[in-house]
Amino acid sequence: MSKSCIIFLLVFMTAFSAGAQKYITKTGHIKFYSDGQLEKIEAHNRQVNSVLDFSTGGFVFKVLMKSFEFEKALMQEHFNENYVESDKYPAATFVGKVTNIKDVNLLKDGMYDANVEGKMTMHGVTKDLTEKGTFEVKQGKIIGKAKFNIVVADYKITIPGNVGNNISKTIEITVDITLDKANM
Amino acid sequence: MKTWIKILLGLVVVGIIALLLVYKFVYNKQHPDYENLEPAFTVTAQDLYQAYKTNKEAASAKYNGKIIALTGKLSKMETADSLVTAVFVFNQGDFGDEGLRCTMLKKFNDAADKLQPDGEVKLKGYCTGYNETDVVLEKCSIINQ
């Protein structure tokens, strides 16, 4: 193969891989976990929307608060009515970027670090969020994972005094999403 | 036995029973029996989606957290892990298909798997809201015609 041919191929492949490539899921999983003095509280949401624009690194999450499921019905009620006030603030969002998206090679299966920064909005409060996670490229899919803590008071979520000790002030969030290439 | 001891014992017993009842019915109360709840609204899948699409705030106030019975032409069934979802597609956007996503109660997974795309179906579920692309219903059951 001539040199120019190879260069053309390389340019073509780069251009192709840099095109608008969106990876999406509508069934992402977010877990939150609080290790209080009296008991552990855990909730799962398996209806998480997320889109990753591979060409820019743009990364968005949309989470419906009422989709969080608790083991105890009472906790679920308190969570929705008293803490996150899901009637008033139905969704939490994250809008940001994977700053090192260029390091992720979609053509090579493997684990990659992902540095994510952006703004998270929950309970009507928007805060900057910078976290590290991982992307695993596997057979054309991207499996994103991250674990981080948030301070509930940062989002103006107040927990009444009598149960305050039972719920930890920070909540551990675990994100697990499998992004598929969007057919568009 | 002295009267005041009897009264005290009686109060203790009543107290213990009250605690047990609170534990059972308040602290440890069961999740709603979604399959047998009466729907607050009966709508078509298309109308429900349009309501959110045209006025998210009004539709959220009306439908979020409510049990909704709906009829519509099923677009497809999706399975992810143990989650079976009935999908009604009405639009195309950044996330691809947009419409209604109804995840089934586990006991309806097998029956839901047999639902045919393009067929009319009648479902009932708990509406958790609209995420700018889809209206999400959970704990869905199939209503027999």
Side-chain angles (χ1 to χ4, degrees):
Chain A
M1 216 185 301
S2 74
K3 231 180 212 171
S4 61
C5 196
I6 290 169
I7 290 168
F8 170 79
L9 256 179
L10 280 174
V11 169
F12 178 77
M13 278 169 69
T14 317
F16 188 72
S17 63
Q21 288 184 58
K22 280 186 179 156
Y23 282 78
I24 62 169
T25 183
K26 289 182 175 186
T27 52
H29 177 203
I30 286 183
K31 173 180 112 174
F32 84 65
Y33 176 79
S34 145
D35 198 353
Q37 277 174 8
L38 281 177
E39 64 187 330
K40 298 171 177 23
I41 296 170
E42 194 176 307
H44 298 268
N45 186 332
R46 296 175 202 280
Q47 309 287 318
V48 175
N49 264 20
S50 177
V51 59
L52 170 68
D53 185 334
F54 200 80
S55 51
T56 61
F59 203 15
V60 175
F61 282 86
K62 187 101 191 177
V63 184
L64 291 175
M65 300 316 272
K66 282 189 196 293
S67 290
F68 276 103
E69 277 185 64
F70 291 70
E71 190 197 335
K72 285 193 165 57
L74 186 71
M75 287 176 186
Q76 193 160 331
E77 253 177 55
H78 285 172
F79 173 79
N80 280 298
E81 289 167 14
N82 307 339
Y83 305 153
V84 298
E85 299 178 85
S86 62
D87 279 335
K88 214 162 143 193
Y89 309 106
T93 54
F94 172 83
V95 180
K97 243 181 121 125
V98 181
T99 50
N100 63 335
I101 194 77
K102 295 278 174 276
D103 298 343
V104 181
N105 184 354
L106 282 175
L107 301 171
K108 198 173 161 212
D109 283 7
M111 294 292 288
Y112 300 87
D113 286 331
N115 301 326
V116 180
E117 59 181 63
K119 291 183 185 302
M120 180 154 107
T121 305
M122 182 169 67
H123 195 235
V125 181
T126 302
K127 299 278 290 181
D128 287 332
L129 191 76
T130 306
E131 295 299 338
K132 279 190 196 309
T134 56
F135 280 143
E136 183 184 359
V137 174
K138 199 175 172 186
Q139 293 158 357
K141 293 178 186 213
I142 303 174
I143 301 163
K145 287 188 178 161
K147 192 181 264 192
F148 56 93
N149 291 308
I150 59 164
V151 179
V152 290
D154 283 353
Y155 295 90
K156 296 203 168 66
I157 294 170
T158 44
I159 293 161
N162 57 339
V163 288
N165 291 332
N166 194 18
I167 299 173
S168 120
K169 307 267 180 285
T170 57
I171 283 177
E172 182 190 89
I173 312 273
T174 310
V175 182
D176 184 353
I177 54 172
T178 302
L179 298 159
D180 282 306
K181 195 167 197 302
N183 303 309
M184 268 175 278
Chain B
M1 215 188 303
K2 281 186 182 135
T3 321
W4 68 269
I5 295 182
K6 281 186 193 162
I7 293 172
L8 197 68
L9 276 175
L11 284 175
V12 168
V13 169
V14 168
I16 289 172
I17 292 172
L19 276 178
L20 286 174
L21 287 177
V22 165
Y23 182 77
K24 182 163 173 18
F25 292 107
V26 180
Y27 182 68
N28 244 359
K29 77 171 176 180
Q30 297 298 304
H31 281 279
D33 175 12
Y34 291 99
E35 183 191 344
N36 291 313
L37 288 178
E38 277 301 310
F41 299 98
T42 301
V43 288
T44 66
Q46 170 93 52
D47 285 351
L48 185 62
Y49 174 72
Q50 278 310 327
Y52 276 97
K53 186 87 180 153
T54 1
N55 188 340
K56 191 179 82 172
E57 278 72 29
S60 297
K62 187 173 175 186
Y63 297 118
N64 282 8
K66 298 288 194 306
I67 300 291
I68 299 175
L70 60 89
T71 49
K73 200 169 95 172
L74 182 72
S75 304
K76 59 183 172 182
M77 295 300 301
E78 278 180 14
T79 304
D81 298 328
S82 62
L83 216 60
V84 175
T85 308
V87 184
F88 300 84
V89 179
F90 297 114
N91 205 357
Q92 294 295 317
D94 282 349
F95 278 78
D97 294 339
E98 295 185 357
L100 248 63
R101 295 179 61 85
C102 310
T103 56
M104 307 304 297
L105 280 168
K106 276 211 173 66
K107 67 177 280 197
F108 283 91
N109 277 1
D110 291 341
D113 263 339
K114 295 192 185 84
L115 292 175
Q116 292 301 316
D118 288 332
E120 281 289 322
V121 293
K122 199 168 180 191
L123 303 175
K124 181 173 74 178
Y126 172 73
C127 182
T128 62
Y130 177 58
N131 54 26
E132 313 292 333
T133 59
D134 298 283
V135 179
V136 176
L137 271 80
E138 297 190 19
K139 311 286 174 198
C140 292
S141 49
I142 300 169
I143 304 175
N144 290 318
Q145 310 289 339

